[in-house]
């Protein structure tokens, strides 16, 4: 397992982290589906045990993943290993309970205590403001920031995190670019929160940036902020297992039912890209995983790549793909294929760009 030192935490850890959203299983937060169907707890637990054997030392979860179920399953596992040897992050901000808002101070501190209890730990290495909705006129922003700072000052959390936009170039702020206001909003929140860590969605379908544009990785580096990359497998789409001619059906409580990435146009765009990549890199499951994971690992030499999984086979095959680096020539070819796909009118990048 490759090791990386994450800025913001200044800690060395595995380059691949276990993303524990999937293992929360089916769930809804009020009317909003937030889960994954068909997850078997014991298979998921066996996968957590396998992470340890595979050299993974990073675990990312959230209070809403399975409404506490992911945290509790991870907590069962953490109690069996040396907690201090691993990095554990969780998140808050989408679940309001009976409070007026998820970031109401009593709700935030209550969720934090429950998260520690669920995980069976006395501290978190990273605690993320999961949502960027701080209420009308950002009413709950100041209190959320001061509560997080207080938790960090007490040593209960070792770093504060927030999410970055899926599409970002610093130069878009103050222009008439379609994402200007989203960029300005992120920059305002970033200045206010002063995070140590960011999570960034980044995969083969992500937009690419020009030489004059500061992307999120360069931005984070300049600010000494660590980056956790998520959705490198496009939630399964980039493994090539979806048929673009038939829309997958997901049961109630599975967030993918409402996700544009699983609609025919986006699946067709992804299939087209995968077909071009397959000609150069091969089409076996390992070939697909290798290209997806290595592309994310190449984005930034210090970022940690979170991968979702539901069983031991998935986490083991994804980790195996992470140990098989692309040569300089392969990486150059990959970037050239992606640049061509982005310019192509039916490209997957354009079909998924508006997803938030
Ligand atoms: N997505 C977000 O908005 C977000 C936000 C903050 C943090 N994160 C963190 O980032 C982590 C990773 O993102 P993600 O889980 O959303 O997406 P992801 O890693 O791109 O996709 C995970 C899914 O890909 C499929 N998969 C995984 N390994 C596979 C393999 N070896 N072969 C074939 N299919 C495989 C599985 O789908 P099936 O379940 O269908 O088998 C799995 O659930 C999350 O778990 C979470 O900890 C995510």
């Amino acid at each position: 397992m490759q090791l990386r030192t994450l800025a913001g935490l200044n800690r060395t850890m595995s380059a691949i982290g276990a993303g524990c959203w999937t293992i929360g299983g089916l769930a809804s937060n009020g009317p909003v589906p937030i889960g994954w169907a068909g997850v078997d707890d014991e298979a998921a637990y066996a996968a957590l045990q396998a992470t340890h054997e595979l050299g993974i030392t990073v675990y990312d979860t959230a209070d809403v993943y399975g409404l506490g179920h992911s945290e509790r399953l991870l907590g069962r596992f953490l109690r069996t290993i040396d907690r201090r040897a691993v990095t554990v992050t969780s998140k808050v901000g989408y679940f309001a309970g009976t409070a007026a808002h998820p970031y109401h101070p009593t709700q935030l501190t209550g969720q934090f205590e429950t998260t520690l209890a669920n995980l069976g730990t006395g501290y978190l290495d990273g605690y993320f403001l999961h949502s960027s909705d701080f209420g009308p006129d950002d009413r709950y922003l100041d209190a959320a920031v001061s509560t997080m700072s207080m938790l960090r000052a007490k040593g209960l959390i070792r770093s504060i995190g927030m999410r970055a936009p899926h599409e970002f170039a610093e130069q878009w702020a103050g222009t008439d670019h379609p994402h200007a206001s989203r960029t300005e909003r992120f920059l305002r929140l970033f200045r206010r929160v002063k995070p140590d860590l960011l999570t960034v969605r980044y995969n083969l379908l992500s937009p690419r940036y020009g030489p004059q544009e500061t992307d999120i990785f360069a931005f984070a580096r300049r600010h000494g902020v660590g980056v956790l990359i998520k959705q490198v497998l496009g939630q399964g789409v980039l493994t090539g297992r979806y048929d673009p001619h038939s829309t997958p059906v997901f049961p109630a409580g599975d967030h993918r039912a409402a996700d544009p990435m699983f609609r025919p146009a986006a699946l067709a765009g992804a299939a087209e890209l995968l077909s071009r990549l397959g000609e150069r890199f091969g089409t076996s499951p390992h070939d697909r995983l290798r290209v997806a994971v290595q592309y994310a690992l190449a984005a930034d030499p210090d970022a940690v790549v979170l991968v979702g999984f539901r069983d031991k086979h998935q986490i083991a095959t994804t980790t195996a793909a992470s140990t098989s680096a692309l040569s300089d020539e392969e990486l150059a070819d990959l970037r050239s294929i992606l640049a061509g796909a982005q310019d192509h009118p039916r490209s997957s990048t354009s079909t998924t760009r508006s997803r938030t």
Side-chain angles (χ1 to χ4, degrees), residues 108-337:
L108 201 166
T109 48
Q111 285 302 104
F112 178 67
E113 281 166 24
T114 305
T115 284
L116 290 188
N118 282 341
L119 290 168
T121 183
Y123 69 97
L124 295 178
D125 299 281
Y127 200 34
F128 281 82
L129 295 167
H130 205 176
S131 160
S132 301
D133 174 0
F134 292 92
D137 303 320
D138 285 339
R139 186 175 300 167
Y140 298 101
L141 176 59
D142 286 348
V145 172
S146 55
T147 303
M148 297 292 268
S149 302
M150 178 270 291
L151 294 174
R152 188 176 50 188
K154 285 184 171 176
L156 293 169
I157 64 175
R158 301 209 162 147
S159 62
I160 297 171
M162 64 179 279
R163 64 192 312 151
H166 303 318
E167 296 162 54
F168 172 86
E170 194 175 6
Q171 289 76 9
W172 294 345
T175 68
D176 58 1
H177 190 278
H179 295 319
S181 63
R182 200 183 297 172
T183 307
E184 289 153 18
R185 165 87 177 149
F186 167 71
L187 292 173
R188 262 199 313 279
L189 287 178
F190 182 88
R191 281 191 290 268
R192 182 72 194 89
V193 175
K194 297 189 181 62
D196 308 295
L197 302 177
L198 289 173
T199 57
V200 175
R201 187 176 88 196
Y202 180 80
N203 60 34
L204 295 164
L205 303 173
S206 297
R208 294 163 55 75
Y209 301 92
Q212 307 304 323
E213 292 178 318
T214 306
D215 71 5
I216 200 70
F217 297 106
F219 176 84
R221 181 171 290 276
R222 200 177 78 230
H223 289 276
V225 169
V227 177
L228 298 179
I229 300 178
K230 62 199 179 193
Q231 279 197 38
V232 304
L233 306 178
Q235 303 200 321
V237 169
L238 293 171
T239 64
R241 47 196 263 215
Y242 289 96
D243 175 0
H245 304 295
S246 70
T247 312
V249 179
F250 298 106
D254 193 309
H255 77 283
R256 291 172 292 184
D259 189 328
M261 193 157 66
F262 291 88
R263 294 202 186 122
L267 291 177
E272 197 174 296
L273 176 65
L274 288 174
S275 149
R276 286 184 223 178
L277 292 172
E279 286 167 22
R280 171 65 178 89
F281 297 100
T283 57
S284 73
H286 173 78
D287 295 333
R288 299 284 192 212
L289 288 168
R290 176 173 176 252
V291 173
V293 174
Q294 292 296 334
Y295 182 64
L297 284 169
D300 183 308
D302 299 322
V304 166
V305 171
L306 300 174
V307 294
F309 58 95
R310 60 171 61 232
D311 56 31
K312 190 173 166 176
H313 176 75
Q314 285 191 346
I315 194 68
T317 50
T318 306
T319 303
S322 79
T323 61
S324 168
L326 296 175
S327 67
D328 290 347
E329 191 191 343
E330 284 180 309
L331 201 51
D333 286 353
L334 173 56
R335 290 184 169 138
S336 142
I337 293 169

